[in-house]
Amino acid sequence: MLRQVDRRTFDEIRSRLFSERDRVRMNLFELIEGGDSPLLGTDGASILFGQSNDHAPLWLWLRKNAPADAFDEAAKLLYERALANPGLHFNAEPDAVQPALELLRDRYGLCAEVVMPMNAYACPTLHPAISRGRLLSPADEHQDTIAALLSQLAEDGEHSAIPAQAARSFAEAMVGSSKLFLWAAESGEIVSMAMLAHQGGGMARINTVVTDRSHRGSGYAGMLVSAMCAPLLQAQTLPILYADAHNPASNRAYQKIGFVPFGSVTEYRLERTVL
């Protein structure tokens, strides 16, 4: 039976149930657990779920070869969370969650639409990219470039437009940050951006990786991520990231510098089925 639990109980059960692959693939649980008042739950054997708040994406883990009643519980959970947040987004391993999605459709009339299929990667051994340029920390003079790169990331990766003021606010907030990194080409032009999104449990998750459209295909993102990974590995911290499964170029770039596939995660959106 699914039940809500506190952080300590959740962490103990997660540590017992998760393989190393699960820890990489479901790394967002680390971030959710550290939130102000997260929703955490488990049946203690086959299901773990976490959500930062009612309007945040839910993360759902299902043990492979779970018993039938676990899929019943998972389908019911998704239905109940969708009531609290219509159009709920959630993330799960696609093969493991499929039986629950079929029950969700047949019993509750909710369809899980794929938003983005992702490959989960970890970099246990770095194959450093040959550097052409240098790593920079964000400064005042980089704000316009940061905002423009964030807009490109939203348009190309998420197929949506980010409001100009939101992009500007992000750029302003990142000035002097130790989490955001920029790559300057040999000409001095800023061509790529990436962020150290979260660090904990011996892992560090990199996201917001984007190269300016006019400079793609030159390996700059690989150079930037490679430069970010080197000090992490020296500190015995495992770099991880998620890559859009529909973007073969970025997947190849990560694999080239030492990132190894650790499975897949799909982001879904729940919608009412049309009869």
Side-chain angles (χ1 to χ4, degrees):
M1 179 70 68
L2 272 179
R3 66 190 190 280
Q4 292 186 34
V5 296
D6 59 27
R7 288 183 178 90
R8 180 176 178 179
T9 302
F10 185 86
D11 195 59
E12 290 173 351
I13 295 173
R14 182 168 63 91
S15 297
R16 173 168 54 84
L17 294 179
F18 271 18
S19 66
E20 186 69 7
R21 293 177 67 84
D22 290 324
R23 291 189 64 231
V24 170
R25 191 166 46 216
M26 295 278 124
N27 180 260
L28 264 290
F29 278 126
E30 296 269 359
L31 180 63
I32 293 170
E33 278 186 68
D36 292 335
S37 49
L39 174 70
L40 303 168
T42 180
D43 66 348
S46 299
I47 303 173
L48 287 162
F49 70 89
Q51 193 174 13
S52 297
N53 57 64
D54 283 345
H55 301 289
L58 181 142
W59 280 73
L60 174 64
W61 175 84
L62 278 161
R63 179 169 57 86
K64 288 191 176 180
N65 303 315
D69 60 352
F71 298 116
D72 293 336
E73 292 285 338
K76 182 181 178 183
L77 167 71
L78 290 171
Y79 171 69
E80 291 174 346
R81 298 315 299 160
L83 291 179
N85 177 16
L88 173 75
H89 284 225
F90 71 96
N91 298 270
E93 197 278 314
D95 292 337
V97 79
Q98 187 57 40
L101 300 187
E102 294 171 4
L103 289 171
L104 186 67
R105 179 196 62 213
D106 297 341
R107 291 184 182 175
Y108 300 104
L110 288 177
C111 182
E113 300 286 345
V114 173
V115 175
M116 181 183 293
M118 297 175 285
N119 294 322
Y121 286 98
C123 183
T125 303
L126 183 65
H127 307 309
I130 297 175
S131 293
R132 288 179 283 105
R134 60 194 177 102
L135 191 71
L136 293 177
S137 296
D140 281 327
E141 62 267 26
H142 302 139
Q143 287 190 39
D144 288 344
T145 300
I146 292 170
L149 287 170
L150 185 67
S151 296
Q152 289 186 33
L153 178 66
E155 292 165 5
D156 299 343
E158 301 174 12
H159 309 293
S160 62
I162 185 171
Q165 185 53 50
R168 170 59 62 180
S169 295
F170 174 82
E172 291 175 355
M174 288 299 105
V175 171
S177 171
S178 61
K179 302 297 183 182
L180 190 76
F181 298 87
L182 305 172
W183 190 261
E186 292 169 303
S187 65
E189 183 180 2
I190 304 298
V191 292
S192 291
M193 175 175 78
M195 190 168 186
L196 185 57
H198 180 257
Q199 190 167 344
M203 297 183 183
R205 180 168 52 86
I206 296 169
N207 70 0
T208 320
V209 182
V210 58
T211 297
D212 183 80
R213 292 188 186 111
S214 63
H215 293 283
R216 290 177 188 171
S218 299
Y220 290 125
M223 297 175 205
L224 171 55
V225 173
S226 177
M228 292 172 65
C229 288
L232 293 171
L233 287 167
Q234 288 173 1
Q236 297 185 326
T237 299
L238 181 67
I240 70 168
L241 54 77
Y242 299 101
D244 183 350
H246 288 161
N247 188 336
S250 66
N251 283 262
R252 285 195 300 269
Y254 298 134
Q255 292 173 16
K256 187 175 180 179
I257 61 174
F259 279 88
V260 178
F262 268 65
S264 61
V265 177
T266 295
E267 180 184 354
Y268 299 93
R269 178 181 58 249
L270 288 180
E271 298 287 353
R272 179 66 61 181
T273 57
V274 178
L275 300 179

